[in-house]
């Protein structure tokens, strides 16, 4: 089966990524990694805001106590909405400016996970790590030698964690221990090496199926809990980066996109690249967990 995504919002992203839906605010948040900001769009009022952070933001999530947690090129920080500034907590890469954060997520127990990678053009260096930042402020290095760490999700029974490494063309599965946050028994869950593009950000729906954006292949792919491809959403742009369910009934899939390293010809042929798209596939998503610290 195949569906087409519709254009939703002129967003002006270079590298739009990591969308999250705020049920309370009825707003879509996302980051524009290479433009040092995050953005939000209130679907009821149509208000669109760009919030400059002064640092690269790879990913963000909501905090249960209010505000946001972000993984930035200067480390993990809280966003103080009152003062409009970042409150830096810990720098997992210890000031190494060759690295930046990429995708991340909060697990069902409220721990924040985020992966680091080398800036281009050194992106081929497989020296990124996956970090877990717990609500008590402790930091744990969970995985090393990653190339481009991307989409993370947990299975409906919370026993499996999925993690994407784009450059390795794979979505991996781990046994996940909800009580401790430990992961083990890494194996390949979905191998896309024979297909165009690379797997990027992803989200889980209410039926336990994964939606994985396929960067470079103009589509988002839905996989059933066994890893079988069951649906494709096509887009008029080449670099879909991630997706999240939102909207009043949690049945609208918002898709972020990019125009990274575009040639003039690509820019001419894909005027909507970098914008937000939407599709209503008749399936609901779940509210993302919030960081518990
Ligand atoms: C990264 C990009 C990369 C893309 C495809 C994104 O998450 O931020 O730099 O080109 O994934 O792997
Ligand atoms: Ca991504």
């Amino acid at each position: 089966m195949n569906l087409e995504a519709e254009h939703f919002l002129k967003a002006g992203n270079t590298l739009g990524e990591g969308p999250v839906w705020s049920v309370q605010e009825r707003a879509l948040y996302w980051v524009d990694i290479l433009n040092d900001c995050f953005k939000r769009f209130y679907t009821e009022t149509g208000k669109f805001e760009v919030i400059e952070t002064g640092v690269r933001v790879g990913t963000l999530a909501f905090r249960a106590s209010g505000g946001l947690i972000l993984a930035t090129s200067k480390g993990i920080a809280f966003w103080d909405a009152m003062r409009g500034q970042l409150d830096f907590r810990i720098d997992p890469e210890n000031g190494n400016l060759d690295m930046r954060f990429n995708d991340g997520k909060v697990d069902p127990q409220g721990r924040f996970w985020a992966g680091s990678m080398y800036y281009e053009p050194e992106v081929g260096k497989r020296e990124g790590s996956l970090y877990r930042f717990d609500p008590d402020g402790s930091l744990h290095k969970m995985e090393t030698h990653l190339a481009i760490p991307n989409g993370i999700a947990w299975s409906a029974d919370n026993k499996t964690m999925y993690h994407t490494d784009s450059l390795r063309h794979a979505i991996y599965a781990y046994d996940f221990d909800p009580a401790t946050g430990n992961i083990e028994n890494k194996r390949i869950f979905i191998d896309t090496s024979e297909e165009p593009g690379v797997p990027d950000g992803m989200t889980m729906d209410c039926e336990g199926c994964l939606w994985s954006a396929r960067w470079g292949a103009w589509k988002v792919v839905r996989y059933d809990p066994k890893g079988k491809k069951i649906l494709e959403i096509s887009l008029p742009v080449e670099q879909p980066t991630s997706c999240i369910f939102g909207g009043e009934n949690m049945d609208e899939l918002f898709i972020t996109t990019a125009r990274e390293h575009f040639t003039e010809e690509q820019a001419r042929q894909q005027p909507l690249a970098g914008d937000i798209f939407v599709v209503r596939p008749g399936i609901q998503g779940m509210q993302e967990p919030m960081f518990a610290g």
Side-chain angles (χ1 to χ4, degrees):
M1 208 170 115
N2 208 340
L3 293 174
E4 276 178 28
E6 292 166 30
H7 187 253
F8 179 73
L9 180 74
K10 190 89 211 136
N13 301 310
T14 304
L15 186 52
E17 290 257 15
V20 273
W21 172 254
S22 167
V23 173
Q24 284 78 14
E25 297 174 73
R26 299 254 175 91
L28 184 73
Y29 284 63
W30 68 95
V31 299
D32 185 0
I33 302 182
L34 300 178
N35 289 322
D36 297 2
C37 64
F38 65 89
K39 303 184 181 183
R40 69 180 154 212
F41 180 73
Y42 295 87
T43 51
E44 281 188 335
T45 61
K47 187 172 164 197
F48 176 38
E49 291 179 328
V50 178
I51 296 112
E52 311 280 345
T53 53
V55 286
R56 295 270 189 274
V57 183
T59 186
L60 61 76
F62 300 114
R63 294 174 68 193
S65 57
L68 304 168
I69 181 166
L70 304 92
T72 80
S73 46
K74 286 193 181 160
I76 293 171
F78 294 146
W79 175 252
D80 181 339
M82 296 301 280
R83 288 186 296 154
Q85 64 187 44
L86 291 169
D87 170 12
F88 290 96
R89 311 308 294 185
I90 195 161
D91 185 0
E93 295 290 343
N94 300 313
N96 182 351
L97 295 177
D98 291 337
M99 308 290 285
R100 70 160 167 87
F101 269 97
N102 204 41
D103 215 336
K105 273 272 155 73
V106 172
D107 73 24
Q109 279 64 45
R111 310 174 191 97
F112 180 62
W113 297 68
S116 64
M117 61 180 263
Y118 259 86
Y119 274 105
E120 275 94 348
E122 293 180 286
V123 84
K125 278 197 181 180
R126 295 162 190 230
E127 288 174 29
S129 301
L130 179 66
Y131 296 96
R132 197 188 83 209
F133 182 67
D134 290 357
D136 65 5
S138 59
L139 182 75
H140 309 265
K141 197 185 246 194
M142 305 303 292
E143 188 60 275
T144 55
H145 302 298
L146 302 174
I148 303 185
N150 255 314
I152 312 181
W154 285 266
S155 62
D157 65 6
N158 204 13
K159 287 186 179 155
T160 307
M161 184 178 103
Y162 302 101
H163 187 224
T164 307
D165 192 333
S166 302
L167 221 55
R168 290 193 161 88
H169 301 266
I171 301 175
Y172 296 92
Y174 295 84
D175 296 340
F176 177 68
D177 181 344
T180 61
N182 284 337
I183 48 174
E184 56 183 22
N185 188 22
K186 182 179 188 176
R187 64 259 179 204
I188 290 182
F189 177 59
I190 291 159
D191 176 359
T192 70
S193 53
E194 301 295 314
E195 299 173 31
V198 297
D200 200 330
M202 63 183 175
T203 193
M204 178 66 77
D205 67 26
C206 271
E207 299 172 7
C209 298
L210 281 176
W211 299 72
S212 168
R214 186 69 60 78
W215 171 288
W218 315 71
K219 64 186 177 185
V220 172
V221 183
R222 184 182 188 222
Y223 295 98
D224 75 9
K226 293 209 157 71
K228 183 169 167 259
K229 188 190 292 184
I230 46 177
L231 176 70
E232 285 192 0
I233 309 288
S234 56
L235 290 104
V237 294
E238 198 174 333
Q239 299 178 342
T241 55
S242 189
C243 53
I244 194 80
F245 281 94
E248 207 173 330
N249 301 312
M250 294 300 286
D251 60 355
E252 296 177 276
L253 186 77
F254 296 107
I255 304 165
T256 47
T257 70
R259 50 195 308 124
E260 196 187 30
H261 307 313
F262 260 26
T263 60
E264 272 176 31
E265 196 184 342
Q266 280 173 305
R268 210 170 34 245
Q269 286 171 351
Q270 300 174 51
L272 304 180
D275 286 352
I276 308 285
F277 290 79
V278 71
V279 66
R280 297 171 185 88
I283 297 155
Q284 285 178 308
M286 290 167 296
Q287 190 177 344
E288 284 290 321
M290 294 190 192
F291 179 64

